[in-house]
Amino acid sequence: MIDKKMLVLGVATLVMGLTSCGGGGKAADLTYWCPAGDNAIMDTLVAKFKEAYPDYAEKNIKRAGNYGEDSVYAQLHKDLDAAADVALIADDQIRTGVKAEELTKFDAEDVARVTASDGAGAVAAVSTATGMYGLPYRADNAPMPFYDSSFFTTAPTKLEDILSQAKAAGKKVYMDMGNGWYNAFFLWNGGAEFGISSDNKVYTNAADAGVIDGVATLLDGMKSLYNTYKDVWESNSDTSKIQAGFKAGNVVYAFCWNDPLIFASKDTVKVTSWPSVTIGGVENKLDCFQGYKAVICKYQEAGERLTLAKDFARFLSSETAQELRATELKQGPSNTAVFARHATELPFAGPVGAMALEGRTHGQATSVTSDFWDPMGALGGVVINGKDNWGTYNSAKAAIRALVSTNGWTNKR
């Protein structure tokens, strides 16, 4: 059987040799990918890395392309040889890269160091059962509620109050209930959990006896609330519409990502923690996802280039680098010391961190995005279909059971 990795490495060696001899300029000693918005800060970090590591001062470290953290793995998987040595990636893509044996595992010393500096949750977000394959540098990859402080004089804390006040004033509220990033609280706040099963499928106990009643109660309550306010409630996460709505004064509350354009739409727009919702007389403080962003090194044969790549990745995730991102870009650090110093200055990451401290955030435990998001989105679609009943299902329980039996989830660990 041909060893795929050895074949790839052999081709890589040949290509590197041809490049070095080809007269097309000096070949890069190291390449990296980053989002376009990070170009300037990465230039600064490359210079600071060389200052911190004098042995690498003469190395040619080159940006080889701009890819958003959510599209890095697709590019890496397309052609491992052509991929950059180091890249910035969203944590939910790491498991897939590990399964394909296309990422480099970091050392036990790295695990211990990151656990001490960024916390066990950060390590878990970039690890599989076989080890740690990324170094976290951001902990603010989450959907959070923005609100217009000229309408709500204090940060609103109850979803039903938010909706009723918006309806009375003829305003809109955006919360994308048909999207698994926003509606996963159906499971958590209903008493269920999810994760990865032993055969690498998405696991949930939502349909199990003793759990399904709680999840069904929450689903019934959310469906009733949506039906009551569906003329106010926009199940949408289009940032351009949200931005325009805030600017025009038509939108007063919206769940959205950390988009600078939302803040720029109106100087009274602020971010707060997720609200609570009272269902059946019980107040539920809603939980949300907290995703991380990390630095990864592609898989390649051990040697000077890989050593350089790992050292560069370590620096990009270091306290020094995270401090610079927090001060210059207002990005939320995973490093706990940096977060403690800047939490009050981070309009988006501050509320994310506050929810994490309350135990109200959850890491991404999915391997392939669609394995979780598509079924969760389908369940959300049933909740917001505008009908008083459950459509093709005769109850919330039937909809939950379909999530497990029909949409590919499993109730087996």
Side-chain angles (χ1 to χ4, degrees):
M1 179 180 291
I2 295 174
D3 187 317
K4 181 181 74 172
K5 285 188 287 190
M6 290 305 295
L7 178 61
V8 168
L9 291 168
V11 173
T13 301
L14 175 61
V15 171
M16 287 168 59
L18 291 172
T19 304
S20 299
C21 300
K26 181 183 177 184
D29 296 304
L30 189 78
T31 58
Y32 68 87
W33 288 337
C34 70
D38 281 14
N39 283 348
I41 202 163
M42 285 296 292
D43 288 344
T44 299
L45 288 171
V46 168
K48 288 185 175 295
F49 170 67
K50 291 182 177 183
E51 291 174 6
Y53 290 78
D55 289 346
Y56 296 143
E58 301 304 316
K59 293 294 185 183
N60 180 15
I61 300 174
K62 181 181 178 181
R63 180 167 54 250
N66 290 127
Y67 296 107
E69 298 97 332
D70 60 342
S71 62
V72 163
Y73 179 68
Q75 295 299 324
L76 185 148
H77 185 62
K78 186 184 299 183
D79 188 340
L80 185 66
D81 173 38
D85 301 292
V86 173
L88 308 181
I89 197 169
D91 66 340
D92 61 342
Q93 298 188 25
I94 288 176
R95 185 179 296 270
T96 307
V98 173
K99 287 168 60 180
E101 299 182 331
E102 292 171 340
L103 300 182
T104 291
K105 182 167 69 172
F106 286 92
D107 306 335
E109 293 81 0
D110 292 311
V111 175
R113 175 179 53 79
V114 176
T115 301
S117 62
D118 297 50
V123 172
V126 296
S127 301
T128 70
T130 58
M132 185 172 73
Y133 291 84
L135 300 176
Y137 71 95
R138 286 185 64 179
D140 59 351
N141 194 25
M144 296 296 287
F146 292 74
Y147 71 99
D148 189 339
S149 62
S150 67
F151 183 83
F152 296 106
T153 54
T154 58
T157 59
K158 296 184 177 182
L159 183 57
E160 53 268 42
D161 292 346
I162 293 164
L163 292 164
S164 65
Q165 290 178 50
K167 184 172 183 176
K171 307 294 184 180
K172 293 288 187 179
V173 171
Y174 276 71
M175 184 180 187
D176 197 351
M177 294 284 282
N179 185 319
W181 265 108
Y182 299 85
N183 65 24
F185 68 83
F186 288 165
L187 300 184
W188 300 317
N189 291 96
E193 61 185 58
F194 71 89
I196 299 296
S197 69
S198 58
D199 59 351
N200 217 41
K201 292 183 178 179
V202 176
Y203 154 84
T204 181
N205 63 351
D208 292 358
V211 177
I212 193 169
D213 286 343
V215 181
T217 296
L218 186 72
L219 281 177
D220 276 322
M222 291 304 300
K223 185 167 183 62
S224 176
L225 190 66
Y226 178 81
N227 287 342
T228 299
Y229 293 104
K230 59 188 175 185
D231 56 335
V232 172
W233 191 328
E234 295 286 342
S235 184
N236 192 300
S237 51
D238 186 327
T239 55
S240 62
K241 291 182 178 180
I242 293 171
Q243 179 196 6
F246 273 126
K247 186 175 183 178
N250 301 324
V251 174
V252 293
Y253 193 92
F255 290 79
C256 197
W257 296 94
N258 190 3
D259 189 334
L261 294 177
I262 303 298
F263 286 107
S265 62
K266 196 173 185 179
D267 59 9
T268 54
V269 171
K270 297 182 179 180
V271 181
T272 187
S273 297
W274 278 52
S276 67
V277 61
T278 300
I279 292 173
V282 177
E283 182 179 3
N284 298 272
K285 288 187 175 182
L286 301 182
D287 294 0
C288 76
F289 275 115
Q290 180 185 15
Y292 287 77
K293 294 184 179 180
V295 190
I296 55 97
C297 298
K298 75 174 182 181
Y299 178 85
Q300 58 183 300
E301 190 176 64
E304 291 183 5
R305 194 177 184 99
L306 181 58
T307 298
L308 172 56
K310 292 174 79 172
D311 282 342
F312 187 50
R314 291 174 182 123
F315 182 79
L316 293 181
S317 63
S318 67
E319 183 173 343
T320 297
Q322 292 193 44
E323 175 76 23
L324 188 64
R325 285 181 174 276
T327 55
E328 296 295 323
L329 302 180
K330 302 301 180 186
Q331 293 178 349
S334 56
N335 182 284
T336 55
V338 179
F339 180 79
R341 289 195 292 270
H342 297 285
T344 59
E345 307 160 22
L346 301 171
F348 190 88
V352 177
M355 286 189 65
L357 289 174
E358 293 177 15
R360 294 174 58 198
T361 60
H362 299 258
Q364 302 174 68
T366 57
S367 56
V368 180
T369 302
S370 60
D371 287 352
F372 177 78
W373 314 120
D374 289 353
M376 202 71 230
L379 183 63
V382 174
V383 172
I384 62 173
N385 67 7
K387 299 176 182 177
D388 292 333
N389 57 32
W390 283 91
T392 58
Y393 306 105
N394 57 23
S395 67
K397 288 186 178 181
I400 295 165
R401 292 189 180 105
L403 177 75
V404 177
S405 63
T406 305
N407 288 321
W409 285 28
T410 179
N411 66 345
K412 305 295 184 183
R413 289 183 184 272

mmCIF file with all atom_site columns, all heavy atoms in Angstrom, residues 167-183:
data_model
loop_
_atom_site.group_PDB
_atom_site.id
_atom_site.type_symbol
_atom_site.label_atom_id
_atom_site.label_alt_id
_atom_site.label_comp_id
_atom_site.label_asym_id
_atom_site.label_entity_id
_atom_site.label_seq_id
_atom_site.pdbx_PDB_ins_code
_atom_site.Cartn_x
_atom_site.Cartn_y
_atom_site.Cartn_z
_atom_site.occupancy
_atom_site.B_iso_or_equiv
_atom_site.pdbx_formal_charge
_atom_site.auth_seq_id
_atom_site.auth_comp_id
_atom_site.auth_asym_id
_atom_site.auth_atom_id
_atom_site.pdbx_PDB_model_num
ATOM 1   N N   . LYS A 1 167 ? -42.386 45.113 20.427 1.00 0.00 ? 167 LYS A N   1
ATOM 2   C CA  . LYS A 1 167 ? -43.686 45.079 19.765 1.00 0.00 ? 167 LYS A CA  1
ATOM 3   C C   . LYS A 1 167 ? -44.491 46.335 20.055 1.00 0.00 ? 167 LYS A C   1
ATOM 4   O O   . LYS A 1 167 ? -45.112 46.911 19.145 1.00 0.00 ? 167 LYS A O   1
ATOM 5   C CB  . LYS A 1 167 ? -44.470 43.841 20.221 1.00 0.00 ? 167 LYS A CB  1
ATOM 6   C CG  . LYS A 1 167 ? -45.817 43.669 19.508 1.00 0.00 ? 167 LYS A CG  1
ATOM 7   C CD  . LYS A 1 167 ? -46.467 42.341 19.850 1.00 0.00 ? 167 LYS A CD  1
ATOM 8   C CE  . LYS A 1 167 ? -47.757 42.163 19.068 1.00 0.00 ? 167 LYS A CE  1
ATOM 9   N NZ  . LYS A 1 167 ? -48.378 40.837 19.314 1.00 0.00 ? 167 LYS A NZ  1
ATOM 10  N N   . ALA A 1 168 ? -44.450 46.785 21.290 1.00 0.00 ? 168 ALA A N   1
ATOM 11  C CA  . ALA A 1 168 ? -45.205 47.986 21.657 1.00 0.00 ? 168 ALA A CA  1
ATOM 12  C C   . ALA A 1 168 ? -44.711 49.218 20.909 1.00 0.00 ? 168 ALA A C   1
ATOM 13  O O   . ALA A 1 168 ? -45.488 50.139 20.621 1.00 0.00 ? 168 ALA A O   1
ATOM 14  C CB  . ALA A 1 168 ? -45.086 48.219 23.166 1.00 0.00 ? 168 ALA A CB  1
ATOM 15  N N   . ALA A 1 169 ? -43.422 49.212 20.557 1.00 0.00 ? 169 ALA A N   1
ATOM 16  C CA  . ALA A 1 169 ? -42.835 50.363 19.872 1.00 0.00 ? 169 ALA A CA  1
ATOM 17  C C   . ALA A 1 169 ? -42.744 50.173 18.359 1.00 0.00 ? 169 ALA A C   1
ATOM 18  O O   . ALA A 1 169 ? -42.252 51.064 17.646 1.00 0.00 ? 169 ALA A O   1
ATOM 19  C CB  . ALA A 1 169 ? -41.443 50.640 20.426 1.00 0.00 ? 169 ALA A CB  1
ATOM 20  N N   . GLY A 1 170 ? -43.208 49.007 17.864 1.00 0.00 ? 170 GLY A N   1
ATOM 21  C CA  . GLY A 1 170 ? -43.139 48.753 16.436 1.00 0.00 ? 170 GLY A CA  1
ATOM 22  C C   . GLY A 1 170 ? -41.724 48.516 15.938 1.00 0.00 ? 170 GLY A C   1
ATOM 23  O O   . GLY A 1 170 ? -41.394 48.851 14.790 1.00 0.00 ? 170 GLY A O   1
ATOM 24  N N   . LYS A 1 171 ? -40.877 47.927 16.779 1.00 0.00 ? 171 LYS A N   1
ATOM 25  C CA  . LYS A 1 171 ? -39.481 47.666 16.433 1.00 0.00 ? 171 LYS A CA  1
ATOM 26  C C   . LYS A 1 171 ? -39.245 46.177 16.166 1.00 0.00 ? 171 LYS A C   1
ATOM 27  O O   . LYS A 1 171 ? -40.122 45.350 16.403 1.00 0.00 ? 171 LYS A O   1
ATOM 28  C CB  . LYS A 1 171 ? -38.555 48.144 17.566 1.00 0.00 ? 171 LYS A CB  1
ATOM 29  C CG  . LYS A 1 171 ? -38.763 49.591 17.987 1.00 0.00 ? 171 LYS A CG  1
ATOM 30  C CD  . LYS A 1 171 ? -38.396 50.573 16.886 1.00 0.00 ? 171 LYS A CD  1
ATOM 31  C CE  . LYS A 1 171 ? -38.520 52.003 17.384 1.00 0.00 ? 171 LYS A CE  1
ATOM 32  N NZ  . LYS A 1 171 ? -38.174 53.002 16.317 1.00 0.00 ? 171 LYS A NZ  1
ATOM 33  N N   . LYS A 1 172 ? -38.033 45.846 15.709 1.00 0.00 ? 172 LYS A N   1
ATOM 34  C CA  . LYS A 1 172 ? -37.694 44.478 15.366 1.00 0.00 ? 172 LYS A CA  1
ATOM 35  C C   . LYS A 1 172 ? -36.613 43.914 16.287 1.00 0.00 ? 172 LYS A C   1
ATOM 36  O O   . LYS A 1 172 ? -35.730 44.630 16.769 1.00 0.00 ? 172 LYS A O   1
ATOM 37  C CB  . LYS A 1 172 ? -37.194 44.397 13.917 1.00 0.00 ? 172 LYS A CB  1
ATOM 38  C CG  . LYS A 1 172 ? -38.251 44.715 12.863 1.00 0.00 ? 172 LYS A CG  1
ATOM 39  C CD  . LYS A 1 172 ? -39.277 43.591 12.738 1.00 0.00 ? 172 LYS A CD  1
ATOM 40  C CE  . LYS A 1 172 ? -40.227 43.838 11.581 1.00 0.00 ? 172 LYS A CE  1
ATOM 41  N NZ  . LYS A 1 172 ? -41.216 42.739 11.446 1.00 0.00 ? 172 LYS A NZ  1
ATOM 42  N N   . VAL A 1 173 ? -36.699 42.581 16.489 1.00 0.00 ? 173 VAL A N   1
ATOM 43  C CA  . VAL A 1 173 ? -35.690 41.822 17.227 1.00 0.00 ? 173 VAL A CA  1
ATOM 44  C C   . VAL A 1 173 ? -35.200 40.705 16.316 1.00 0.00 ? 173 VAL A C   1
ATOM 45  O O   . VAL A 1 173 ? -36.021 39.985 15.737 1.00 0.00 ? 173 VAL A O   1
ATOM 46  C CB  . VAL A 1 173 ? -36.276 41.228 18.527 1.00 0.00 ? 173 VAL A CB  1
ATOM 47  C CG1 . VAL A 1 173 ? -35.292 40.268 19.175 1.00 0.00 ? 173 VAL A CG1 1
ATOM 48  C CG2 . VAL A 1 173 ? -36.673 42.334 19.494 1.00 0.00 ? 173 VAL A CG2 1
ATOM 49  N N   . TYR A 1 174 ? -33.882 40.563 16.172 1.00 0.00 ? 174 TYR A N   1
ATOM 50  C CA  . TYR A 1 174 ? -33.305 39.514 15.330 1.00 0.00 ? 174 TYR A CA  1
ATOM 51  C C   . TYR A 1 174 ? -32.707 38.413 16.197 1.00 0.00 ? 174 TYR A C   1
ATOM 52  O O   . TYR A 1 174 ? -31.834 38.657 17.023 1.00 0.00 ? 174 TYR A O   1
ATOM 53  C CB  . TYR A 1 174 ? -32.200 40.087 14.437 1.00 0.00 ? 174 TYR A CB  1
ATOM 54  C CG  . TYR A 1 174 ? -32.689 40.725 13.158 1.00 0.00 ? 174 TYR A CG  1
ATOM 55  C CD1 . TYR A 1 174 ? -33.372 41.935 13.172 1.00 0.00 ? 174 TYR A CD1 1
ATOM 56  C CD2 . TYR A 1 174 ? -32.470 40.108 11.930 1.00 0.00 ? 174 TYR A CD2 1
ATOM 57  C CE1 . TYR A 1 174 ? -33.818 42.534 12.001 1.00 0.00 ? 174 TYR A CE1 1
ATOM 58  C CE2 . TYR A 1 174 ? -32.908 40.685 10.737 1.00 0.00 ? 174 TYR A CE2 1
ATOM 59  C CZ  . TYR A 1 174 ? -33.585 41.901 10.785 1.00 0.00 ? 174 TYR A CZ  1
ATOM 60  O OH  . TYR A 1 174 ? -34.025 42.475 9.611  1.00 0.00 ? 174 TYR A OH  1
ATOM 61  N N   . MET A 1 175 ? -33.195 37.194 16.001 1.00 0.00 ? 175 MET A N   1
ATOM 62  C CA  . MET A 1 175 ? -32.615 36.018 16.638 1.00 0.00 ? 175 MET A CA  1
ATOM 63  C C   . MET A 1 175 ? -32.864 34.837 15.713 1.00 0.00 ? 175 MET A C   1
ATOM 64  O O   . MET A 1 175 ? -34.011 34.442 15.499 1.00 0.00 ? 175 MET A O   1
ATOM 65  C CB  . MET A 1 175 ? -33.234 35.752 18.013 1.00 0.00 ? 175 MET A CB  1
ATOM 66  C CG  . MET A 1 175 ? -32.591 34.597 18.757 1.00 0.00 ? 175 MET A CG  1
ATOM 67  S SD  . MET A 1 175 ? -33.358 34.332 20.382 1.00 0.00 ? 175 MET A SD  1
ATOM 68  C CE  . MET A 1 175 ? -32.262 33.074 21.064 1.00 0.00 ? 175 MET A CE  1
ATOM 69  N N   . ASP A 1 176 ? -31.795 34.284 15.152 1.00 0.00 ? 176 ASP A N   1
ATOM 70  C CA  . ASP A 1 176 ? -31.907 33.286 14.094 1.00 0.00 ? 176 ASP A CA  1
ATOM 71  C C   . ASP A 1 176 ? -32.162 31.896 14.673 1.00 0.00 ? 176 ASP A C   1
ATOM 72  O O   . ASP A 1 176 ? -31.260 31.076 14.810 1.00 0.00 ? 176 ASP A O   1
ATOM 73  C CB  . ASP A 1 176 ? -30.629 33.288 13.257 1.00 0.00 ? 176 ASP A CB  1
ATOM 74  C CG  . ASP A 1 176 ? -30.813 32.594 11.919 1.00 0.00 ? 176 ASP A CG  1
ATOM 75  O OD1 . ASP A 1 176 ? -31.869 31.965 11.724 1.00 0.00 ? 176 ASP A OD1 1
ATOM 76  O OD2 . ASP A 1 176 ? -29.910 32.696 11.074 1.00 0.00 ? 176 ASP A OD2 1
ATOM 77  N N   . MET A 1 177 ? -33.435 31.603 14.947 1.00 0.00 ? 177 MET A N   1
ATOM 78  C CA  . MET A 1 177 ? -33.795 30.350 15.594 1.00 0.00 ? 177 MET A CA  1
ATOM 79  C C   . MET A 1 177 ? -33.671 29.144 14.672 1.00 0.00 ? 177 MET A C   1
ATOM 80  O O   . MET A 1 177 ? -33.686 28.011 15.127 1.00 0.00 ? 177 MET A O   1
ATOM 81  C CB  . MET A 1 177 ? -35.226 30.439 16.127 1.00 0.00 ? 177 MET A CB  1
ATOM 82  C CG  . MET A 1 177 ? -35.378 31.454 17.238 1.00 0.00 ? 177 MET A CG  1
ATOM 83  S SD  . MET A 1 177 ? -34.717 30.843 18.782 1.00 0.00 ? 177 MET A SD  1
ATOM 84  C CE  . MET A 1 177 ? -36.052 29.763 19.249 1.00 0.00 ? 177 MET A CE  1
ATOM 85  N N   . GLY A 1 178 ? -33.539 29.374 13.370 1.00 0.00 ? 178 GLY A N   1
ATOM 86  C CA  . GLY A 1 178 ? -33.351 28.271 12.444 1.00 0.00 ? 178 GLY A CA  1
ATOM 87  C C   . GLY A 1 178 ? -31.885 27.959 12.195 1.00 0.00 ? 178 GLY A C   1
ATOM 88  O O   . GLY A 1 178 ? -31.559 27.300 11.217 1.00 0.00 ? 178 GLY A O   1
ATOM 89  N N   . ASN A 1 179 ? -31.019 28.393 13.089 1.00 0.00 ? 179 ASN A N   1
ATOM 90  C CA  . ASN A 1 179 ? -29.574 28.259 12.921 1.00 0.00 ? 179 ASN A CA  1
ATOM 91  C C   . ASN A 1 179 ? -28.984 27.643 14.183 1.00 0.00 ? 179 ASN A C   1
ATOM 92  O O   . ASN A 1 179 ? -29.183 28.145 15.292 1.00 0.00 ? 179 ASN A O   1
ATOM 93  C CB  . ASN A 1 179 ? -28.984 29.652 12.675 1.00 0.00 ? 179 ASN A CB  1
ATOM 94  C CG  . ASN A 1 179 ? -27.505 29.642 12.371 1.00 0.00 ? 179 ASN A CG  1
ATOM 95  O OD1 . ASN A 1 179 ? -26.736 28.906 12.983 1.00 0.00 ? 179 ASN A OD1 1
ATOM 96  N ND2 . ASN A 1 179 ? -27.101 30.492 11.442 1.00 0.00 ? 179 ASN A ND2 1
ATOM 97  N N   . GLY A 1 180 ? -28.235 26.535 14.004 1.00 0.00 ? 180 GLY A N   1
ATOM 98  C CA  . GLY A 1 180 ? -27.700 25.811 15.153 1.00 0.00 ? 180 GLY A CA  1
ATOM 99  C C   . GLY A 1 180 ? -26.753 26.598 16.018 1.00 0.00 ? 180 GLY A C   1
ATOM 100 O O   . GLY A 1 180 ? -26.566 26.277 17.198 1.00 0.00 ? 180 GLY A O   1
ATOM 101 N N   . TRP A 1 181 ? -26.136 27.642 15.468 1.00 0.00 ? 181 TRP A N   1
ATOM 102 C CA  . TRP A 1 181 ? -25.276 28.483 16.302 1.00 0.00 ? 181 TRP A CA  1
ATOM 103 C C   . TRP A 1 181 ? -26.087 29.225 17.357 1.00 0.00 ? 181 TRP A C   1
ATOM 104 O O   . TRP A 1 181 ? -25.592 29.552 18.434 1.00 0.00 ? 181 TRP A O   1
ATOM 105 C CB  . TRP A 1 181 ? -24.529 29.498 15.434 1.00 0.00 ? 181 TRP A CB  1
ATOM 106 C CG  . TRP A 1 181 ? -23.162 29.071 15.031 1.00 0.00 ? 181 TRP A CG  1
ATOM 107 C CD1 . TRP A 1 181 ? -22.743 28.687 13.787 1.00 0.00 ? 181 TRP A CD1 1
ATOM 108 C CD2 . TRP A 1 181 ? -22.009 28.965 15.868 1.00 0.00 ? 181 TRP A CD2 1
ATOM 109 N NE1 . TRP A 1 181 ? -21.418 28.352 13.814 1.00 0.00 ? 181 TRP A NE1 1
ATOM 110 C CE2 . TRP A 1 181 ? -20.945 28.519 15.068 1.00 0.00 ? 181 TRP A CE2 1
ATOM 111 C CE3 . TRP A 1 181 ? -21.779 29.210 17.221 1.00 0.00 ? 181 TRP A CE3 1
ATOM 112 C CZ2 . TRP A 1 181 ? -19.658 28.308 15.574 1.00 0.00 ? 181 TRP A CZ2 1
ATOM 113 C CZ3 . TRP A 1 181 ? -20.503 29.002 17.722 1.00 0.00 ? 181 TRP A CZ3 1
ATOM 114 C CH2 . TRP A 1 181 ? -19.466 28.559 16.902 1.00 0.00 ? 181 TRP A CH2 1
ATOM 115 N N   . TYR A 1 182 ? -27.331 29.534 17.045 1.00 0.00 ? 182 TYR A N   1
ATOM 116 C CA  . TYR A 1 182 ? -28.150 30.348 17.932 1.00 0.00 ? 182 TYR A CA  1
ATOM 117 C C   . TYR A 1 182 ? -29.120 29.528 18.772 1.00 0.00 ? 182 TYR A C   1
ATOM 118 O O   . TYR A 1 182 ? -29.510 29.953 19.851 1.00 0.00 ? 182 TYR A O   1
ATOM 119 C CB  . TYR A 1 182 ? -28.940 31.378 17.106 1.00 0.00 ? 182 TYR A CB  1
ATOM 120 C CG  . TYR A 1 182 ? -28.072 32.329 16.335 1.00 0.00 ? 182 TYR A CG  1
ATOM 121 C CD1 . TYR A 1 182 ? -27.572 31.993 15.085 1.00 0.00 ? 182 TYR A CD1 1
ATOM 122 C CD2 . TYR A 1 182 ? -27.720 33.575 16.864 1.00 0.00 ? 182 TYR A CD2 1
ATOM 123 C CE1 . TYR A 1 182 ? -26.749 32.861 14.375 1.00 0.00 ? 182 TYR A CE1 1
ATOM 124 C CE2 . TYR A 1 182 ? -26.901 34.450 16.166 1.00 0.00 ? 182 TYR A CE2 1
ATOM 125 C CZ  . TYR A 1 182 ? -26.421 34.079 14.916 1.00 0.00 ? 182 TYR A CZ  1
ATOM 126 O OH  . TYR A 1 182 ? -25.607 34.937 14.229 1.00 0.00 ? 182 TYR A OH  1
ATOM 127 N N   . ASN A 1 183 ? -29.552 28.367 18.277 1.00 0.00 ? 183 ASN A N   1
ATOM 128 C CA  . ASN A 1 183 ? -30.636 27.660 18.968 1.00 0.00 ? 183 ASN A CA  1
ATOM 129 C C   . ASN A 1 183 ? -30.187 26.413 19.720 1.00 0.00 ? 183 ASN A C   1
ATOM 130 O O   . ASN A 1 183 ? -31.021 25.632 20.164 1.00 0.00 ? 183 ASN A O   1
ATOM 131 C CB  . ASN A 1 183 ? -31.752 27.291 17.984 1.00 0.00 ? 183 ASN A CB  1
ATOM 132 C CG  . ASN A 1 183 ? -31.316 26.290 16.921 1.00 0.00 ? 183 ASN A CG  1
ATOM 133 O OD1 . ASN A 1 183 ? -30.371 25.530 17.113 1.00 0.00 ? 183 ASN A OD1 1
ATOM 134 N ND2 . ASN A 1 183 ? -32.016 26.271 15.795 1.00 0.00 ? 183 ASN A ND2 1
#
